[in-house]
Amino acid sequence: MPGGFARLSSSGDLRTSLMGKGDLSADVCIVDDQAVPQDTLLVDGVSPAIRRSGGILASQAADNLYWFSRYGERAEMTVRVIRCLVGSPIDVDGGTGRDAATIRRLVDILVQWGAIAAADAAPDSERSVVDLCGAALGEKQLYGGVAALVRRNRDIGRGLRDRMSTDFWRVANRPVPGFDADSSESILNAANGLIERFSALGGLAAENMVRSPSWRFLDIGRRLERALNTCRLARQFAGRGALADDLGALLDLCDSQIIYRTRYLTVPMPFPVIDLVLLDPHNPRSLMFQIVRIEKHLANLPVLVDNGVSERPLRETRALLAELQSHEAADVTTKWVQQVETRLLALSDAVSQRYFLQFDKPERSAQESLLA
């Protein structure tokens, strides 16, 4: 017998066939001294037919890929807000501190995104900024806490384990690194480590994944979440009367500080910053870049009816893209950015309803719930 199912007794008494308290069960494999020949159903010497597609992508797998990247992007942006509060990716001109109004806006974002409780961040609260950042980084109960988002991301990733390489899963499965909640340096080191981890996942997906529907849904989720976050940050930091420190924080959060300094030999100013983070199609962190990528992905996904008519998600994306292409930085207002954010949320619903089957339609066949 090559193996079996064994019962392990905690007391050493195996006279009964019943499982007792503390007993365990385990698989037992007997290792032979000689190699065992491998059984195969393939005919010797016959090569399988060449194929360059991954077969059928189930709707549930597409859903998991989409939300895996959305939770990851959401966690990354929350970490960037924390890092912006306790430090900066580069030395900021004019000093290392931030204006009190800018700090207040950053803390408000953590509250709005569910990373910390509103009572803890109230103006009359005695908790320091460092304390709030540590709480947001280690928060496991609130839906927007970094630890909660990372845990949710790992839970979804377990359902995708067969679609992930060993390197990808090893990085994705890491928990939030340990840190001292009372030390800004320790929090900053943990935040930098998390951002490096998210960057590693993005690099592995970009360099190692076949350009199949699986990769497209993974990237659509990332791009859509990043577009939403960019709109929310722009409303906070690039509105009327924005300070130079507000605009600098926006550049930090959108990882665009270096390119801004390369193009403009001046302190952050409203129109150049707005153009860079919202309308520049060449900036991979801009709103425009995300919409361009989403449009390309949706245009390459299978359609239900091959009649040449674009489906709803693609139509909405192209309409939004045309809206962005027709705007200039001087035309951008907080109200307009809010409208774009609303349309992005509608696009998210359209993608979910079309591809993820969150509700059943009687007329829809079983074949239509799969993606070729």
Side-chain angles (χ1 to χ4, degrees):
M1 184 178 69
F5 195 63
R7 181 166 53 86
L8 308 177
S9 174
S10 59
S11 62
D13 185 4
L14 295 176
R15 290 178 294 177
T16 175
S17 60
L18 299 178
M19 294 286 289
K21 183 177 180 180
D23 291 350
L24 302 174
S25 60
D27 292 321
V28 177
C29 298
I30 301 174
V31 181
D32 202 337
D33 295 334
Q34 299 180 353
V36 179
Q38 296 289 332
D39 294 329
T40 177
L41 298 179
L42 297 176
V43 180
D44 293 339
V46 177
S47 175
I50 300 298
R51 59 185 303 174
R52 293 181 177 176
S53 65
I56 293 176
L57 175 62
S59 176
Q60 185 61 55
D63 194 352
N64 287 338
L65 288 162
Y66 174 82
W67 282 105
F68 176 85
S69 58
R70 285 200 65 171
Y71 278 113
E73 183 67 26
R74 194 174 300 177
E76 179 183 349
M77 188 55 72
T78 305
V79 173
R80 288 184 179 275
V81 173
I82 293 172
R83 186 174 71 170
C84 200
L85 278 165
V86 296
S88 177
I90 66 173
D91 293 332
V92 179
D93 291 337
T96 57
R98 292 199 180 277
D99 186 85
T102 302
I103 292 175
R104 185 69 249 173
R105 290 188 179 94
L106 289 166
V107 172
D108 288 343
I109 286 176
L110 293 178
V111 174
Q112 294 167 13
W113 291 4
I116 54 178
D120 294 335
D124 57 351
S125 174
E126 296 182 357
R127 302 190 67 173
S128 66
V129 171
V130 173
D131 191 18
L132 293 174
C133 289
L137 195 59
E139 179 58 56
K140 297 180 180 180
Q141 302 302 322
L142 297 177
Y143 65 90
V146 174
L149 291 171
V150 170
R151 181 182 60 192
R152 181 60 175 156
N153 189 248
R154 294 167 66 197
D155 290 343
I156 296 175
R158 291 188 181 95
L160 298 167
R161 186 64 188 85
D162 60 330
R163 298 179 181 273
M164 295 179 177
S165 68
T166 302
D167 290 336
F168 192 96
W169 177 242
R170 187 177 68 250
V171 177
N173 194 38
R174 294 172 184 168
V176 174
F179 62 93
D180 182 359
D182 297 324
S183 170
S184 60
E185 182 178 359
S186 178
I187 294 173
L188 183 60
N189 290 336
N192 287 332
L194 282 170
I195 291 176
E196 290 173 2
R197 180 192 308 179
F198 295 131
S199 299
L201 289 175
L204 287 169
E207 296 298 326
N208 297 349
M209 285 190 71
V210 174
R211 273 30 180 180
S212 64
S214 297
W215 171 74
R216 296 193 185 280
F217 279 106
L218 188 71
D219 204 50
I220 287 173
R222 176 182 296 109
R223 302 299 169 185
L224 189 52
E225 187 68 29
R226 186 175 296 177
L228 284 166
N229 291 334
T230 302
C231 287
R232 291 161 181 163
L233 294 173
R235 288 195 292 108
Q236 288 281 347
F237 296 101
R240 180 174 298 179
L243 305 173
D245 203 34
D246 293 334
L247 299 171
L250 179 59
L251 290 173
D252 280 347
L253 294 171
C254 295
D255 205 11
S256 301
Q257 189 76 253
I258 295 297
I259 187 61
Y260 181 88
R261 293 177 173 221
T262 303
R263 292 181 181 178
Y264 309 103
L265 301 179
T266 179
V267 297
M269 302 187 71
F271 291 165
V273 170
I274 289 173
D275 180 79
L276 183 59
V277 302
L278 292 181
L279 304 177
D280 188 345
H282 307 296
N283 180 9
R285 289 280 171 176
S286 74
L287 172 63
M288 175 76 80
F289 189 92
Q290 315 314 315
I291 305 305
V292 170
R293 291 295 295 269
I294 292 172
E295 191 274 337
K296 290 181 178 179
H297 289 319
L298 293 176
N300 282 279
L301 288 176
V303 296
L304 292 177
V305 181
D306 189 13
N307 58 3
V309 179
S310 301
E311 295 183 330
R312 179 190 165 197
L314 184 56
R315 291 198 307 270
E316 293 189 6
T317 303
R318 286 175 172 170
L320 183 55
L321 181 58
E323 175 78 13
L324 291 172
Q325 291 172 336
S326 65
H327 258 67
E328 296 182 354
D331 302 326
V332 173
T333 63
T334 302
K335 181 178 180 181
W336 180 81
V337 176
Q338 176 70 68
Q339 292 172 348
V340 171
E341 183 181 338
T342 301
R343 293 174 68 174
L344 286 170
L345 292 172
L347 174 60
S348 176
D349 291 339
V351 170
S352 298
Q353 292 171 9
R354 161 61 182 91
Y355 297 107
F356 306 149
L357 302 179
Q358 296 184 351
F359 58 92
D360 294 328
K361 291 185 176 181
E363 68 275 9
R364 178 162 293 188
S365 64
Q367 186 176 2
E368 292 173 349
S369 66
L370 302 175
L371 294 171

